[in-house]
C-alpha cells in the first residue's frame, strides 16, 4: 500500500459563537487519508463540516471566532501543518497544497488582472522574475484551455464569465505544481454544461500533473463520476468511507443511503419520487447525543440514542461506517 | 452650591447609570439589543446621554444659581473651580455649572429639534424620489446635488448676513432645512432597493394606492437607516450650533448654550481656561456618546452587517 | 468614457449655475433691502437710494440677475461695502491662504487617517484597535474650533512651541531670508493645519477601518491567503488596493468639511483666509462678500467631487473598462 500524502487525524475545528450561545463544533474529530494521485470525494449536506475541514487543512479558518483544537493533527510531507510557523505555512499554501473555491467570480481580486493574479504565486514561491512569471501565467492559461490566452492575461475578472473565472482559479492554484489540490464545491456556482467541462479539466490536469485532488461537494453525482474514494461527512464527523464503486453498491450508513436516494437516476422510473432525508442537519452548537444521525434515521433504536458508534470495519476493503447497523445487521428492516 | 445640589447631581448620575444598566439587563432577550450592547461603549454612551437629558430636564434643581445672574462682578470674576462653584465662574461672574446645566437644555433641544426637521424632510423627499422615480426623482435629486454643493456653514452665513441675528426658532428651522440632503439620498437608496421587490409589486398589483404602498410597505424598511442617521444627526447639529454660536451668529446671548459659552471664554483661554474647557468637554462627551450609540444602532438594526 | 466625462462636467457646471441662482434669490428675497437691515440701524433714505442706484438694485430683478451672472462670468463677484474694495481683489489675497491651510490639513487628514485605519483594521478587536477607536471617535466628535483653542492653550500658551495666530511673524518676516520665511510660514501653519487635519483624520480613520474590514471579509482575500502570501502583502496590496476606492469617494466629500472647518479655524487662529473673511463680513452685514465666499466654496466642492469621480473611474477597472464587458 502506498504511503498517504496527507494524513488528517482527529481534526477538531470549533467556533465560538456570540455570547451565551456556546461553541459550534463544526468539525469534531475527523480523520482520513489522501493518497498520491487519487481523487478523494468529501460529501455531505451543507452544515456537515466539509468546507471547514478543507479550510482547516491550510489553516484558513478565521481566528477568532474559529480555532483548531490542540490534539488535532494534519501530517503532510512528514510535518504537522497545524504547528508550522507562519513562514513555513506560507511555503505550503499555494505551493505544495493549493485550493480553489466555490464562487470563482468573487474569489478573484477585482482590481488586478488575471495575469498578475496567476503570476503572483509563482513570483512569491518560485522567485520568478515578473517576465518569467507572466510567461508562466500564459502557459497556465493555455493549460486550462482558455481560448485566446494572450488577450485574457490583461483582462480583469469582471470581464470574464464564471466558467472562465474558475479556469483562471485552477490555473492560479496549479501554477506552482502543487502535490494536493483542494477543490471546495468547484462547480456549484456554475451552469450544468460548464460543470462538466470543469470536472473534465480537473481530471485531465490530474492525469498530466499527477496531483492528488480533494473534491468537496454536496453532489453524489459528481463524486460518482470523478472520485476514486469517498468520505461521507455528517454533523462534523466522518460517517462512512469507501472506494467509490464499493460505496455506490454497498453503502452501509443510513445517511449515505439517504443521500443516494435523493440523486435523480436514469435507471429508475421517473415516476418514483425523489427521496430526501427528513429533517435538517442539527445545529453545530448542539449535536444530538449518541449517534448524531439518530433523530433522522429510519432504523434508530435505543442504543443509537445512548451510545455513539465508532467507525466500524464493514468487511469491504477500506470500507468503514459509523453505524451500529454494521454490528447488528439484522436490525436493518425494510421500511415502506 | 449647597449639599442639596450635590445630592441632586449625584442622584441623577446614579439614575443614569441604573437606567443604562437596567436597559441592558431588561432587553437581554432580544437579538437587536444584544447586538447593540455588544459594542463595548454602547452602555456607557447610553448612560452619558441619559445623564445629560436628566440634567437638562431637571435643570432648575441641579443649577445652584440663575444661569444669567452676575453674582458679584468684582469678587467672582473668572474664579477657578471651587466647592461653591464646581466649574468656576466666567468673566461676568456667572456660575459656569448653572450655565452648563441650562445650556444643556438649549444645546440638546436645538440638536433634537433641528434633527427632527432634517430627518423628516429628508425622509419625505427620499420616499417621493425613490418611489415615483422618473421626473420627480430627477428634480429632487438635482436639488440635493445643489444643496450638498454649498458647504452648510456658508449657507447659514448667508442667511445670517441677510437676516441679522436669528431668533432661536428660525435658527433651528434653518439648520434643519439645510441638513436633510444626505438623509434623503439614504432613504431614496433604501426605497429603490425595495421598490422592485416582489411584495411591493404585489401590493401595487393589488391596486393599493401609492400613499398606502409607501407607508405600509416601503417606509418600514427605511426606518432603520433613518434612526441611525437621526442619532448621528443630533451630534452633527450640536456641533454646528456650537460652531455658529462660537462665530457669534448662533444662539443669542445671554441665553446659555454650550457653543456661546466657549465663545464667551475664548478670550480668556490663557487666564481662565476652565471657562472654555468645561462646555467643550460637555459637547465632546455628548457627541461621542451619540456617535457611539449611532454605530451600535447600525449594527443592532441591520442583522446583515457584522460588527466591525 | 469621454461621453461620461462630458456629461459629468456638464452636470458640475449646471450645479454651480444653480448655486449662483440660489444665492441670488436668497439675497433678493430676504426681508428688507440689503441697505436697510431688519435691525435698528437707520440710514438716511436719500443715502439708501443713492446706494441702491449705485449698485443697480433699483432695476428689475431679471436685469439684476443677468448682470450678476454676466459679472460673475467675467470674474467679478462684486464690491465689498465694508472693505471698500472689489471682492475679486480681496479673494485673490485670501483664497491662497485658505488653499494652503486646507491643503496641509487634507494631507494630514488622509495620510494620518488612512494609516490609523489600516493599523486598526489589521489588528481589529485587539487592544490597540479599541484604544485607537476611542481616540478617533473623540476626534470625530470634537468641535473643531474647541480643539483649536485647546491646542493653542497647550502648545501656544503653556509650552510656547508654536505661535498662537496669524500666518507669519508680523515684525520679523520682511527681514527674513527665503528659507527663514518658509520656515516662519510653516511654523505658523502647523497648529491650524494640525487641528483641522486631526479632526478630519478621525473620520477618515473610522471610514478606512470599516472599508478595509469589509474588503478583508471578501472571498478573494481568502484566495490570497490560500496562495501563501505574506499577511503584509495581503493587507497592503490586496486589501488596501480595494479599500482605496471608497477612500477616493471620501476625498470628494472632504472638501466641504475642510472649508467649513476653515471658517472656524481661521477665526480661532486669525488666519487671513477666505473663511475668516466670510465670518468677519457677517458683522458688517457685507453680504456680497459672504455670497462670493460661499460661491467659491461651492465651486471648490463641485470641482472636488468631479476630481474624485474621475479618479474613481480611473482607479476601478470595473468602471474604467465598462461593466458589461464579459467576453468569454
Amino acid at each position: 500500500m502506498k504511503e498517504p500524502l496527507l494524513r488528517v487525524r482527529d481534526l477538531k475545528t470549533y467556533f465560538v459563537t456570540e455570547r451565551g450561545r456556546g461553541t459550534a463544533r463544526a468539525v469534531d474529530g475527523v480523520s482520513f487519508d489522501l493518497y498520491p494521485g487519487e481523487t478523494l470525494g468529501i460529501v455531505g449536506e451543507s452544515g456537515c463540516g466539509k468546507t471547514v475541514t478543507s479550510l482547516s487543512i491550510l489553516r484558513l479558518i478565521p481566528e477568532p471566532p474559529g480555532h483548531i483544537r490542540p490534539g488535532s493533527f494534519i501530517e503532510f510531507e512528514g510535518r504537522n501543518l497545524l504547528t508550522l510557523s507562519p513562514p513555513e505555512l506560507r511555503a505550503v499554501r499555494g505551493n505544495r497544497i493549493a485550493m480553489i473555491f466555490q464562487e470563482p467570480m468573487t474569489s478573484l481580486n477585482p482590481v488586478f488582472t488575471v495575469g498578475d493574479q496567476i503570476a503572483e504565486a509563482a513570483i512569491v514561491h518560485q522567485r520568478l522574475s515578473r517576465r518569467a512569471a507572466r510567461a508562466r501565467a500564459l502557459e497556465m492559461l493555455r493549460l486550462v484551455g482558455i481560448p485566446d490566452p494572450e488577450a485574457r492575461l490583461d483582462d480583469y475578472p469582471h470581464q470574464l464569465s464564471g466558467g472562465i473565472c474558475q479556469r483562471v482559479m485552477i490555473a492560479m492554484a496549479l501554477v506552482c505544481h502543487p502535490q494536493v489540490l483542494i477543490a471546495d464545491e468547484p462547480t456549484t456556482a456554475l451552469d450544468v454544461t460548464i460543470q462538466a467541462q470543469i470536472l473534465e479539466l480537473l481530471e485531465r490536469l490530474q492525469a498530466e500533473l499527477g496531483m492528488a485532488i480533494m473534491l468537496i461537494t454536496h453532489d453524489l453525482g459528481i463524486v460518482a463520476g470523478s472520485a476514486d474514494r469517498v468520505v461521507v461527512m455528517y454533523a462534523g464527523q466522518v460517517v462512512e468511507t469507501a472506494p467509490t464503486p464499493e460505496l455506490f453498491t454497498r453503502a452501509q450508513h443510513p445517511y449515505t443511503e439517504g443521500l443516494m436516494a435523493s440523486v435523480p437516476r436514469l435507471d429508475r422510473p421517473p415516476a418514483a419520487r425523489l427521496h430526501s432525508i427528513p429533517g435538517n442537519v442539527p445545529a453545530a452548537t448542539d449535536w444530538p447525543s449518541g449517534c448524531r444521525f439518530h433523530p433522522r434515521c429510519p432504523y434508530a433504536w435505543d442504543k443509537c440514542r445512548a451510545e455513539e458508534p465508532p467507525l466500524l470495519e464493514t468487511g469491504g476493503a477500506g470500507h468503514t461506517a459509523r453505524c451500529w447497523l454494521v454490528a447488528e445487521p439484522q436490525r436493518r428492516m425494510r421500511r415502506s | 452650591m449647597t449639599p442639596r445640589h450635590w445630592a441632586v447631581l449625584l442622584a441623577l448620575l446614579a439614575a443614569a447609570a441604573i437606567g443604562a444598566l437596567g436597559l441592558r439587563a431588561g432587553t437581554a432577550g432580544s437579538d437587536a439589543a444584544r447586538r447593540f450592547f455588544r459594542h463595548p461603549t454602547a452602555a456607557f454612551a447610553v448612560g452619558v446621554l441619559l445623564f445629560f437629558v436628566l440634567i437638562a430636564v431637571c435643570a432648575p434643581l441641579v443649577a445652584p444659581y440663575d444661569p444669567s445672574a452676575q453674582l458679584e462682578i468684582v469678587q467672582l470674576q473668572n474664579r477657578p473651580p471651587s466647592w461653591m462653584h464646581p466649574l468656576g465662574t466666567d468673566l461676568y461672574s456667572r456660575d459656569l455649572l448653572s450655565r452648563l446645566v441650562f445650556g444643556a437644555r438649549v444645546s440638546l433641544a436645538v440638536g433634537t429639534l433641528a434633527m427632527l426637521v432634517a430627518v423628516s424632510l429628508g425622509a419625505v423627499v427620499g420616499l417621493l424620489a425613490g418611489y415615483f422615480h422618473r421626473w420627480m426623482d430627477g428634480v429632487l435629486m438635482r436639488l440635493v446635488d445643489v444643496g450638498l454643493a454649498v458647504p452648510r456653514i456658508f449657507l447659514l452665513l448667508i442667511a445670517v448676513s441677510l437676516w441679522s441675528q436669528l431668533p432661536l426658532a428660525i435658527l433651528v428651522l434653518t439648520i434643519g432645512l439645510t441638513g436633510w440632503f444626505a438623509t434623503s439620498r439614504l432613504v431614496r437608496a433604501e426605497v429603490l432597493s425595495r421598490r422592485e421587490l416582489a411584495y411591493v409589486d404585489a401590493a401595487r398589483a393589488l391596486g393599493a394606492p401609492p400613499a398606502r404602498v409607501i407607508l405600509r410597505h416601503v417606509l418600514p424598511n427605511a426606518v432603520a437607516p433613518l434612526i441611525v442617521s437621526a442619532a448621528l444627526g443630533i451630534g452633527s447639529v450640536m456641533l454646528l450650533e456650537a460652531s455658529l454660536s462660537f462665530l457669534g451668529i448662533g444662539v443669542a446671548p445671554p441665553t446659555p448654550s454650550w457653543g456661546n459659552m466657549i465663545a464667551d471664554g475664548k478670550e480668556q483661554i490663557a487666564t481662565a481656561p476652565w471657562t472654555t474647557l468645561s462646555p467643550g468637554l460637555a459637547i465632546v462627551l455628548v457627541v461621542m456618546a451619540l456617535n457611539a450609540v449611532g454605530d451600535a444602532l447600525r449594527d443592532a438594526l441591520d442583522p446583515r452587517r457584522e460588527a466591525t | 468614457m469621454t461621453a461620461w466625462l462630458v456629461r459629468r462636467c456638464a452636470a458640475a457646471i449646471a450645479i454651480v449655475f444653480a448655486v449662483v441662482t440660489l444665492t441670488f434669490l436668497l439675497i433678493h428675497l430676504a426681508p428688507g433691502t440689503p441697505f436697510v437691515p431688519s435691525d435698528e440701524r437707520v440710514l438716511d433714505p436719500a443715502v439708501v437710494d443713492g446706494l441702491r442706484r449705485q449698485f443697480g438694485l433699483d432695476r428689475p430683478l431679471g436685469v439684476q440677475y443677468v448682470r450678476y451672472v454676466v459679472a460673475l462670468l467675467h470674474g467679478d463677484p462684486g464690491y465689498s461695502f465694508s472693505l471698500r474694495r472689489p471682492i475679486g481683489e480681496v479673494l485673490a489675497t485670501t483664497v491662497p491662504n485658505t488653499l494652503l491651510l486646507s491643503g496641509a490639513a487634507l494631507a494630514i487628514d488622509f495620510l494620518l487617517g488612512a494609516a490609523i485605519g489600516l493599523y486598526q483594521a489589521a489588528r481589529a478587536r485587539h487592544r490597540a484597535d479599541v484604544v485607537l477607536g476611542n481616540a478617533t471617535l473623540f476626534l470625530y466628535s470634537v468641535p473643531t474650533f474647541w480643539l483649536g483653542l485647546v491646542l493653542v492653550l497647550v502648545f501656544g500658551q503653556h509650552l510656547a512651541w508654536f505661535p498662537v495666530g496669524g500666518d507669519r511673524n508680523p515684525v520679523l518676516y520682511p527681514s527674513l531670508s527665503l528659507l527663514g520665511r518658509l520656515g516662519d510660514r510653516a511654523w505658523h501653519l502647523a497648529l491650524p493645519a494640525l487641528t483641522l487635519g486631526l479632526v478630519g483624520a478621525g473620520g477618515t480613520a473610522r471610514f478606512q477601518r470599516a472599508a478595509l474590514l469589509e474588503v478583508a471579509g471578501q472571498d478573494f482575500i481568502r484566495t490570497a491567503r490560500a496562495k501563501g502570501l505574506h499577511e503584509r502583502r495581503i493587507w497592503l496590496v490586496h486589501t488596501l488596493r480595494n479599500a482605496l476606492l471608497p477612500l477616493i469617494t471620501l476625498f470628494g466629500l472632504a472638501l466641504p468639511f475642510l472649508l467649513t472647518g476653515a471658517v472656524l479655524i481661521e477665526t480661532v487662529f486669525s488666519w487671513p483666509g477666505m473663511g475668516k473673511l466670510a465670518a468677519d463680513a457677517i458683522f458688517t452685514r457685507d453680504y456680497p462678500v459672504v455670497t462670493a465666499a460661499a460661491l467659491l466654496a461651492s465651486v471648490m466642492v463641485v470641482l472636488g467631487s468631479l476630481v474624485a469621480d474621475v479618479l474613481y473611474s480611473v482607479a476601478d477597472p470595473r468602471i474604467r473598462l465598462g461593466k458589461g464587458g464579459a467576453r468569454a
Side-chain angles (χ1 to χ4, degrees), chain C residues 15-293:
Chain C
I15 289 175
V16 170
F17 190 72
V19 172
V20 169
T21 311
L22 186 81
T23 49
F24 177 84
L25 286 177
L26 256 180
I27 291 163
H28 289 271
L29 297 179
T33 72
F35 304 106
V36 186
S38 46
D39 62 19
E40 67 287 344
R41 276 191 297 164
V42 181
L43 280 173
D44 181 348
V47 175
V48 171
D49 271 359
L51 282 170
R52 281 172 62 90
R53 252 196 307 284
Q54 186 187 338
F55 290 101
L57 297 177
D58 52 342
R59 301 297 190 86
L61 209 60
V63 176
Q64 289 188 44
Y65 176 67
V66 172
R67 281 185 167 191
Y68 181 62
V69 173
V70 169
L72 278 180
L73 285 176
H74 285 91
D76 173 20
Y79 190 84
S80 162
F81 306 147
S82 61
L83 301 171
R84 299 179 192 289
R85 282 169 67 194
I87 295 172
E89 230 172 72
V90 184
L91 287 178
T93 60
T94 52
V95 168
N97 286 326
T98 296
L99 289 179
L100 178 66
L101 175 60
S102 304
L106 192 67
I108 295 172
D109 177 341
F110 275 79
L111 291 179
L112 191 66
I116 292 177
L118 181 63
Y119 186 83
Q120 277 189 271
R123 280 165 184 67
R125 291 177 198 84
H126 287 81
R127 188 201 298 256
D129 176 35
V130 174
V131 170
L132 284 172
N134 285 320
T136 54
L137 181 65
F138 169 83
L139 290 175
Y140 184 69
S141 308
V142 75
T144 319
F145 59 91
W146 183 76
L147 185 66
L149 288 172
V150 172
L151 292 184
V152 165
L153 178 66
V154 176
F155 295 104
Q157 310 270 8
H158 279 284
L159 300 171
W161 289 353
F162 294 100
V164 297
D167 70 332
R168 65 191 71 185
N169 188 312
V171 184
L172 295 177
Y173 191 80
S175 62
L176 290 173
S177 65
L178 181 66
L179 210 63
R181 287 183 176 192
L182 278 178
D184 186 60
R185 294 296 296 269
W187 192 46
H188 280 80
L189 178 64
L191 268 193
L194 194 66
T195 312
L196 202 49
L198 275 178
V199 173
T204 305
R206 282 161 57 83
F207 184 89
Q208 177 73 343
R209 176 184 182 274
L212 283 164
L213 287 179
E214 167 102 31
V215 175
Q218 305 274 329
D219 287 350
F220 59 79
I221 295 302
R222 190 179 56 190
T223 307
R225 214 159 261 137
K227 265 164 128 176
L229 304 185
H230 197 284
E231 279 301 307
R232 200 165 50 222
R233 186 170 168 84
I234 291 174
W235 280 103
L236 291 179
V237 178
H238 285 258
T239 312
L240 189 60
R241 179 67 210 278
N242 278 279
L244 283 180
L245 295 174
L247 204 62
I248 294 175
T249 313
L250 189 70
F251 174 81
L253 296 174
L255 274 168
F257 158 78
L258 283 174
L259 292 168
T260 300
V263 175
L264 297 157
I265 285 302
E266 289 177 2
T267 305
V268 170
F269 288 92
S270 313
W271 186 263
M274 184 181 96
K276 184 171 189 312
L277 177 76
D280 288 347
I282 294 291
F283 297 100
T284 49
R285 298 179 44 71
D286 196 349
Y287 77 85
V289 169
V290 182
T291 318

Side-chain angles (χ1 to χ4, degrees), chain A residues 1-256:
Chain A
M1 186 111 196
K2 282 187 286 185
E3 273 295 295
L5 188 59
L6 185 76
R7 211 195 294 259
V8 177
R9 286 292 173 274
D10 203 24
L11 176 66
K12 290 182 176 170
T13 307
Y14 292 179
F15 289 85
V16 181
T17 56
E18 285 173 13
R19 196 156 25 126
R21 297 273 178 100
T23 303
R25 293 179 290 161
V27 172
D28 203 10
V30 162
S31 303
F32 62 86
D33 292 328
L34 178 70
Y35 292 94
E38 75 164 345
T39 298
L40 176 68
I42 297 191
V43 290
E45 292 165 282
S46 52
C48 69
K50 52 191 195 304
T51 293
V52 175
T53 302
S54 67
L55 291 173
S56 299
I57 293 173
L58 283 181
R59 285 164 59 187
L60 292 170
I61 298 294
E63 299 180 35
H67 65 287
I68 298 174
R69 302 282 295 169
S72 309
F73 187 78
I74 299 176
E75 189 193 281
F76 176 72
E77 297 183 332
R79 293 181 299 180
N80 181 0
L81 293 182
L82 299 178
T83 56
L84 293 187
S85 68
E88 289 171 328
L89 182 65
R90 286 199 299 273
V92 172
R93 286 175 174 172
N95 188 27
R96 311 296 299 152
I97 303 178
M99 193 158 178
I100 60 175
F101 301 97
Q102 181 170 351
E103 298 281 348
M105 308 285 271
T106 57
S107 295
L108 288 169
N109 196 324
V111 300
F112 295 112
T113 63
V114 160
D116 283 348
Q117 294 192 59
I118 298 174
E120 190 176 25
I123 293 172
V124 167
H125 292 300
Q126 308 190 329
R127 313 226 164 269
L128 293 188
S129 66
R130 292 190 65 87
R131 178 189 291 260
R134 191 175 158 89
R136 172 72 69 79
L138 181 64
E139 187 190 308
M140 292 309 296
L141 285 181
R142 210 167 269 140
L143 183 69
V144 297
I146 288 178
D148 197 6
E150 283 88 356
R152 295 292 83 79
L153 266 186
D154 296 314
D155 275 353
Y156 288 89
H158 74 274
Q159 295 172 290
L160 307 174
S161 69
I164 298 290
C165 278
Q166 194 59 289
R167 284 175 192 261
V168 169
M169 282 295 293
I170 294 171
M172 195 164 84
L174 300 184
V175 72
C176 297
H177 297 309
Q179 294 285 67
V180 178
L181 175 68
I182 302 173
D184 184 6
E185 304 262 11
T187 59
T188 307
L190 306 174
D191 294 341
V192 182
T193 47
I194 312 285
Q195 280 193 12
Q197 291 172 12
I198 295 288
L199 291 170
E200 248 167 61
L201 172 69
L202 285 176
E203 212 165 310
R204 175 167 68 78
L205 291 173
Q206 185 175 33
E208 284 177 29
L209 307 174
M211 76 267 181
I213 296 181
M214 227 175 102
L215 183 65
I216 289 117
T217 177
H218 65 278
D219 187 343
L220 270 179
I222 289 177
V223 165
S226 309
D228 302 312
R229 287 193 310 125
V230 185
V231 168
V232 182
M233 283 190 68
Y234 182 76
Q237 294 178 319
V238 173
V239 293
E240 188 157 13
T241 313
T244 310
E246 164 91 9
L247 188 84
F248 278 86
T249 49
R250 279 184 294 278
Q252 292 293 313
H253 200 286
Y255 178 64
T256 316

Side-chain angles (χ1 to χ4, degrees), chain B residues 35-62:
Chain B
R35 282 196 299 273
F36 182 86
F37 284 112
R38 189 172 51 192
H39 281 251
T41 46
F44 183 72
V46 169
V48 167
L49 292 181
L50 269 179
F51 177 63
F52 278 98
V53 168
L54 284 173
I55 276 188
V57 171
C58 309
L61 297 178
V62 189

Side-chain angles (χ1 to χ4, degrees), chain B residues 212-233:
Chain B
R212 188 182 158 81
V213 177
I214 292 180
L215 291 180
R216 288 290 302 273
H217 299 281
V218 179
L219 184 60
N221 290 305
V223 163
L226 269 180
I227 292 177
V228 174
S229 92
L232 302 176

